[in-house]
Amino acid sequence: MSVRLQARLRPSDLLGLGFHGLRAHPLRAVLSALGIAIGIAAMIAVIGISTSSEALVKQRLASLGTNLLTVTAGSDMFGGDAKLPADAIIRVRNLPGVETATWISTLKDVHVYRSASIDKGETGGMTVAAAGDDLLEATGSDLQAGAWMNEVTEKLPAVVLGYKAAERLGISTVGSQVWLGGRYFTVVGILERAPLAPELDTAALIGAGIAEELFGFDGSPTTIYERSADDAVDEARDLLPRTVNPEAPNEVKVSRPSDALAAKNTIDQAFTGLLVGVGSIALLVGGIGVANTMVITVLERRREIGLRRAIGATRGHIRSQFLVEAVLLASLGGLGGSLIGWLITWIVATGNGWLVSIPPLVLVAGVVVTMFVGAIAGSIPAIRAARTSPTAALSA
C-alpha cells in the first residue's frame, strides 16, 4: 500500500520566493512599484493637504469664536441703499447675552494715499472708515504693530491701517504718515489679518471725533460687530434686525462670518473628493502596470514553473507564489507612495503655516489598498501560471 505525500509550502518559503522574483528583475520591479506609488502618493497628499487645511480652519474658529455676528444695511423699499440708525449700537449693547458690540462706518469720497503726490484715481482698492472702540475684541483681530486708538488719538489725525492697506501703502512701522482726505495722518497702528472681518484688511481706520470734525461724519455705522454668549447667538441673530432698525427691520442684514469659513472648508472637501478620484485613476493605472509585469514574469519563468511542478509543487503553490509576488510588488509601491504623500503634505502645510494633520488610518489604508490592488492585478497571471503544464513548460 503506497501513501502519497502532499507537498507543503511554508509561509516563510512563500515570502522568500516572492522576494526572489522581485530581486531577479529589480529595475522592472521598481518601475512597476512606481506606478502604484504615484497613485497612492497623489491620494494621500490630497487628503493630507485637505485635512491640514481643515485643521487650520478648526483652529481659527476655535480661537476666533463662532459667536460673532455682523450687521449691515440692506436696501430700502425703493431699491436704494439703506442706512443704519446712528443710535443702533446703543440698543445692540443692551440686548440680552451680548458680550461686546462695536462698529465701523465707511466714509464716502475719502481715500488714503502714500503721499499727496499720488494720483487721486490710484486708490488701490482701500477704504477709509471711522471706527468705534472695542473693534479688536469684537472682531478677534490683533495688532501687528503700534496701538489701537484711545480717547485722545481718536480726536487727532491718527490712523490704524489694515494688513493689506499697510502693504499697499508701503508702511511697515508706526510713526509714518499717509495722505488721508486731503491732509497727513500719522500711523499709530497696523493690524494683523482679520479672518472674520476681511473688510478691515484694506481699511484705514480713524476715530469718530476726527471723522466728524474733518469729514462731516453723522454717526451712522455701515457695519456693526456683535458678540454674544455661545448659547445666545441664535436668539441675538433673530433680535438684531428689529433692534438695530425698529422702523424697518427688513432693511437690516445679519450674517455670521464663521459660516463663510465653514463653507470654504466644505468646498475644499468637495474639491478634495474630485482630486482623490483623479488619484484613484492613477492607482488603477499602476495596478494595470503590476498586472502587465506579472504576465511578462510568468512568460519568462515558464521553465521554472515547469521544474517546480515536476518536483512536486502543486498548482496552489504556483498560484500562491505569483500572487504573493504581485502583492509584495504593490505593497512596496504603497509604502513608497505613503511616504511621498506624507512628505508632500508636510512641505505644503509647512510652507503655508498650517498644522500637519494626516490621520494615521489614511496611511495604513494606503498600504492596505495597494495590497488589495496587487492581489487583483496578480490573480489572473497567478492562475495562468498555475495552469501551466509541467511538460509544456519544460519543453518551451
Side-chain angles (χ1 to χ4, degrees):
M1 180 178 179
S2 61
V3 179
R4 185 178 180 181
L5 297 177
Q6 180 70 35
R8 294 184 178 181
L9 189 63
R10 294 176 299 181
S12 58
D13 295 331
L14 194 59
L15 286 174
L17 287 170
F19 279 113
H20 173 73
L22 298 182
R23 289 196 300 268
H25 299 281
L27 182 59
R28 181 192 299 170
V30 169
L31 292 177
S32 298
L34 184 60
I36 292 285
I38 291 173
I40 286 296
M43 295 178 68
I44 288 180
V46 167
I47 294 173
I49 292 171
S50 175
T51 54
S52 297
S53 176
E54 182 181 358
L56 178 66
V57 171
K58 290 180 177 179
Q59 183 188 46
R60 282 183 175 178
L61 289 176
S63 61
L64 298 173
T66 58
N67 60 341
L68 173 65
L69 298 175
T70 61
V71 181
T72 55
S75 301
D76 58 25
M77 60 184 300
F78 301 106
D81 294 334
K83 291 185 65 176
L84 299 180
D87 60 348
I89 191 66
I90 299 174
R91 291 193 294 274
V92 170
R93 287 171 176 167
N94 288 329
L95 279 175
V98 171
E99 296 177 345
T100 182
T102 190
W103 57 272
I104 64 168
S105 181
T106 302
L107 304 176
K108 293 183 178 180
D109 301 321
V110 181
H111 302 288
V112 58
Y113 307 92
R114 184 65 182 87
S115 68
S117 60
I118 303 297
D119 185 89
K120 302 305 178 186
E122 301 293 330
T123 61
M126 295 175 288
T127 59
V128 176
D133 54 1
D134 296 332
L135 184 66
L136 300 184
E137 180 183 354
T139 61
S141 304
D142 294 313
L143 282 164
Q144 183 184 99
W148 183 248
M149 291 173 290
N150 54 40
E151 294 181 357
V152 175
T153 53
E154 69 98 18
K155 299 176 183 178
L156 300 176
V159 60
V160 175
L161 298 176
Y163 181 85
K164 291 183 180 178
E167 277 191 346
R168 294 173 187 177
L169 292 170
I171 303 295
S172 58
T173 58
V174 298
S176 304
Q177 290 193 318
V178 293
W179 185 254
L180 191 155
R183 64 173 297 169
Y184 279 105
F185 274 63
T186 300
V187 177
V188 296
I190 300 174
L191 297 180
E192 293 279 8
R193 292 183 186 273
L196 294 184
E199 61 275 8
L200 299 182
D201 291 343
T202 56
L205 304 168
I206 63 176
I210 194 68
E212 180 181 359
E213 178 185 342
L214 297 181
F215 309 119
F217 172 52
D218 62 1
S220 175
T222 54
T223 304
I224 293 175
Y225 303 97
E226 180 269 340
R227 278 192 187 269
S228 305
D230 290 334
D231 57 355
V233 173
D234 292 334
E235 181 183 4
R237 194 168 192 168
D238 293 335
L239 293 175
L240 276 171
R242 57 181 179 269
T243 300
V244 170
N245 193 344
E247 296 180 358
N250 59 302
E251 296 179 1
V252 178
K253 295 191 298 184
V254 180
S255 61
R256 193 176 186 177
S258 59
D259 290 345
L261 285 177
K264 176 181 178 298
N265 186 53
T266 301
I267 293 172
D268 289 343
Q269 288 179 339
F271 188 62
T272 296
L274 175 63
L275 293 180
V276 167
V278 175
S280 300
I281 295 174
L283 183 60
L284 176 61
V285 172
I288 295 173
V290 170
N292 183 56
T293 297
M294 295 309 300
V295 168
I296 295 174
T297 299
V298 169
L299 292 175
E300 289 180 343
R301 295 164 64 182
R302 285 171 62 85
R303 286 184 176 276
E304 176 192 333
I305 295 170
L307 181 60
R308 291 197 62 226
R309 288 295 310 280
I311 61 176
T314 65
R315 287 187 175 183
H317 294 162
I318 300 298
R319 184 169 55 248
S320 298
Q321 173 188 344
F322 285 94
L323 191 60
V324 166
E325 188 172 326
V327 171
L328 287 174
L329 181 60
S331 299
L332 291 176
L335 289 170
S338 296
L339 179 60
I340 294 172
W342 183 89
L343 184 61
I344 293 173
T345 301
W346 181 83
I347 292 173
V348 173
T350 304
N352 287 280
W354 302 345
L355 296 172
V356 181
S357 177
I358 304 180
L361 187 60
V362 171
L363 298 174
V364 175
V367 178
V368 172
V369 166
T370 56
M371 294 175 67
F372 182 70
V373 169
I376 295 176
S379 59
I380 294 177
I383 293 172
R384 182 176 179 179
R387 289 178 177 176
T388 302
S389 168
T391 54
L394 289 172
S395 62

